[in-house]
Every structure is written in structure tokens, then in C-alpha cells.
Amino acid sequence: MSNGHTRAEHFPGPLHHPPLTSGEARKHHVPHEHHPKLQHHFDSMDQQLEASTLGMWVFLVTEIMFFGGLFMAYLLYRWANPTAFQEASAHLSKGWGAINTVVLIVSSLTMAMAVRSAQTSAKPKTQVMWLVLTMVFGAAFLGVKYVEYGQKFHDNLVPGPHFVWTGQYPAGAEIFYSLYFCMTGLHAIHMIIGLGIMTVIAIMAWRGSFDARYYTPVEVGGLYWHFVDIVWIFLFPLLYLIGAHYGAGH
Amino acid sequence: MSGHIASTNLYYAVFTALLVGTGLTYAAALVDFGFFNNVVMLAIAFTKMMLVMLFFMGVRWNSRLTWVVAGSGFFFLLIMFAITMSDYMTRGWVPGTLK
């Protein structure tokens, strides 16, 4: 992570100079000017960005294990109830699932473009446009989930005392729908948090906080957004597409 | 370094590939391959994930350290899957051990 320079080169310090008292004096003695967003414990903007990116990846690894527990439960119960899971999955709307997959992929593209617009010092308006587009598609995704959840409530497919299953495997189907609501629910919570993060970043972008030298919040927020997209890339086939050959209604 | 700026054409190409992958996984699900439906859908999902990670998330241009950290998440995920399933799938192999 070191760029090869020693601390002393950047911060001559009291060994070479009398203690620095004011910001102006400090600026005068430091060999080259620093970006105002550069924290004192980093040598350079590049190093700071790399540290932030790495830190975000460490968080995303914990998120992989967070969702991983639910994928583990899915794997185990699907192994134990393969036919019941197919029967239960056949009742989900493949069309809504596919539309939401496309919506999230579009939002990932606009997110990547938002990061790029900050990297290339695009106008604040352009940066905000990409971020708002990302949020619009994120909200559209949640809108579709709202419709889907509504249908499940209407059809008595919410696990619990009112769960009704007319197929052959009511017990296995209830496990499937428990996992469906847990996995898509946790995913939807991540989407809502993502919308909050994007709101903050869009306000920062509107105020002109980001340019080619400093865009860490957009970059790190983007990593989160893409991660949530990746989770859905797996949820879509595993939940919606495994029942196509069961024969029952769609 | 994280500061790589990718071309917009690359982003559009990745986007198109992701849409094609979504169409493929949908179409493949309508064909009955039996157990191999799972293999096909997971292979497509894994490919789509790699596209998002490498290009949209920029891991392609990140430091080796980021590669190791990101990879470690999937490594531990596989350990969890493998060890848990090796327990459940082998219960009862030894007489008298199945609850």
C-alpha cells in the first residue's frame, strides 16, 4: 500500500521545523499541496481510495456470508424437498422475476455510469442524473416486488396460520415460501438501504463534491449497489425458474 | 489501481451480455434438462456475477489484495455449503446414527 515515500518526506515535522501552529503555516511547510479530502493518515488520494475500496470489499464479504446463510438453508431444504420446491416455484411469476432482473441490470449500468461520470469530472448535473436514474430503477424494482408480495398475500401463500396450498406438497411449499420471503425480503431491505445511500450520494454530487481526484463515496456506494444486483442474479433462477417443468399452473 | 476509467463501450458491452445471459437462463429453464437445468442456470448466474464484479465493480483493475479479499468470501461460502451438506447427506450411513 505504500507508495515508496517515507513519512518524513511528506511531513517534515518538529525535527526539522518548529511546531506548526496554524493551517497556513502547515501549508507553507508541506512540500506539495494536498487535496482537502485527503485524510492525514494516507499518503495519497490513490492510497486513500484503495483503502476505502478494500474496506468496502471486507464488508461485502460479510454480506456474502449474511446472504450465504439463507442460500445454505435453500440448498439444504431443496435437497430434502426437491419436488415440493418445483411445485411451489411454479406458482411464482417468471415474467415479473425476469422484468425485475432486467430492471436491476439497467440500474447496475446507470450506477457504473454514475461512477464513471464522477471519475471523468462530469458536471454535477450529469452525475446526479445517473444517480437518480439508478434510484428510479431501484424504486421500480421495489414496486414490482410490492405487486408480487400483494399477490402472495391475496393467494394465501404467506407462511403461517393462513398458508393455503392446494398442491401435493403443502409442507414443502410452505418451506419454499418461507425462504422466498426471507431471501427476497432481505434483498429488498438492501435495496431500500441502497436508495438511502444513493440519496445521500446524489446530494453530495449535486453540491459538486466529486471529481476525478475524489469520488470515493460514489465508488464505494456503487460497489454496494452492484453487490445487491449480484444477489438477485442468483435469486431469480433459484426461486423463479426451477418449477417450469412441474406442469402445474404458472 | 482503483482509479481506472473504463470506456463506455465496455460498459454497454457488459450490459448487453448481462441481458443476453438473462434471456438465456429464462429460455434454458423452459427446456427440460432434468438435473442439468440447475447446472446451466448456476453457470449462467456465475458468469453474470463475474461480469458485474470484474467490470462494473472494477475488480479487474483493483489490487491483488482486493482479489484475495473478494475471493475469500466465496471460499468461505463454499466451505459452509460443503461441510454442512457433508453432514446432512451422510446421516444414516453408519447404522444407528440417524436420528
Side-chain angles (χ1 to χ4, degrees), chain B residues 21-39:
Chain B
T22 305
L24 270 182
T25 202
Y26 192 100
L30 301 179
V31 184
D32 197 349
F33 296 122
F35 173 78
F36 286 98
N37 274 111
N38 295 308
V39 178

Side-chain angles (χ1 to χ4, degrees), chain A:
Chain A
M1 297 271 260
S2 169
N3 64 2
H5 296 261
T6 62
R7 277 281 165 209
E9 281 177 84
H10 284 264
F11 300 102
L15 275 178
H16 309 284
H17 299 280
L20 303 171
T21 48
S22 71
E24 204 176 34
R26 188 185 186 83
K27 200 173 175 181
H28 181 255
H29 286 284
V30 170
H32 50 79
E33 208 177 315
H34 284 184
H35 193 282
K37 291 288 186 185
L38 180 63
Q39 301 294 312
H40 67 87
H41 48 287
F42 291 113
D43 285 338
S44 66
M45 293 302 280
D46 274 356
Q47 189 198 43
Q48 180 172 270
L49 176 64
E50 187 177 341
S52 300
T53 307
L54 183 65
M56 191 61 195
W57 270 105
V58 172
F59 170 69
L60 291 184
V61 167
T62 72
E63 287 273 87
I64 290 171
M65 297 309 285
F66 188 17
F67 279 98
L70 287 170
F71 279 101
M72 180 68 246
Y74 173 92
L75 174 63
L76 178 62
Y77 284 103
R78 184 166 166 205
W79 170 72
N81 312 274
T83 323
F85 267 43
Q86 285 189 320
E87 185 183 71
S89 168
H91 194 82
L92 287 175
S93 164
K94 288 194 289 291
W96 278 132
I99 287 170
N100 255 355
T101 308
V102 171
V103 166
L104 271 197
I105 288 172
V106 176
S107 82
S108 257
L109 173 69
T110 56
M111 186 69 240
M113 295 302 285
V115 175
R116 195 182 182 282
S117 67
Q119 281 179 323
T120 52
S121 299
K123 286 179 202 153
K125 268 187 185 175
T126 312
Q127 297 179 23
V128 170
M129 180 200 73
W130 287 117
L131 290 165
V132 168
L133 270 177
T134 306
M135 290 168 68
V136 166
F137 286 105
F141 175 91
L142 287 171
V144 171
K145 282 258 59 92
Y146 175 81
V147 172
E148 283 190 273
Y149 278 13
Q151 285 172 353
K152 298 295 164 286
F153 274 88
H154 179 263
D155 296 344
N156 289 317
L157 290 175
V158 182
H162 302 294
F163 184 81
V164 178
W165 187 258
T166 51
Q168 283 186 60
Y169 304 95
E174 192 165 10
I175 295 174
F176 176 86
Y177 278 98
S178 300
L179 284 167
Y180 167 80
F181 278 104
C182 282
M183 296 172 100
T184 60
L186 185 65
H187 181 266
I189 289 171
H190 276 77
M191 290 293 298
I192 293 167
I193 293 171
L195 287 179
I197 292 170
M198 287 310 141
T199 308
V200 173
I201 291 175
I203 292 169
M204 291 170 81
W206 183 256
R207 292 178 179 164
S209 305
F210 307 128
D211 57 25
R213 295 182 66 200
Y214 177 74
Y215 56 88
T216 306
V218 200
E219 168 81 21
V220 168
L223 289 180
Y224 175 87
W225 193 271
H226 294 307
F227 169 80
V228 178
D229 181 24
I230 287 174
V231 172
W232 184 261
I233 283 174
F234 281 91
L235 288 182
F236 168 57
L238 290 176
L239 293 174
Y240 289 78
L241 295 182
I242 61 169
H245 308 297
Y246 190 72
H250 295 286

Side-chain angles (χ1 to χ4, degrees), chain B:
Chain B
M1 226 6 262
S2 315
H4 179 89
I5 300 169
S7 77
T8 49
N9 281 340
L10 177 65
Y11 282 154
Y12 293 139
V14 170
F15 170 69
T16 310
L18 290 172
L19 289 184
V20 169
T22 305
L24 270 182
T25 202
Y26 192 100
L30 301 179
V31 184
D32 197 349
F33 296 122
F35 173 78
F36 286 98
N37 274 111
N38 295 308
V39 178
V40 171
M41 72 166 61
L42 286 176
I44 294 173
F46 190 81
T47 308
K48 287 165 74 181
M49 176 183 77
M50 291 310 288
L51 286 173
V52 173
M53 279 179 64
L54 288 175
F55 301 107
F56 282 175
M57 299 173 92
V59 172
R60 164 87 176 73
W61 306 286
N62 279 169
S63 64
R64 292 280 174 86
L65 188 58
T66 314
W67 283 73
V68 172
V69 169
S72 74
F74 297 98
F75 180 66
F76 282 104
L77 195 63
L78 285 181
I79 288 180
M80 179 168 70
F81 290 166
I83 294 182
T84 309
M85 289 314 287
S86 72
D87 168 13
Y88 279 96
M89 293 174 85
T90 56
R91 286 186 187 187
W93 282 16
V94 177
T97 56
L98 190 65
K99 269 206 298 185

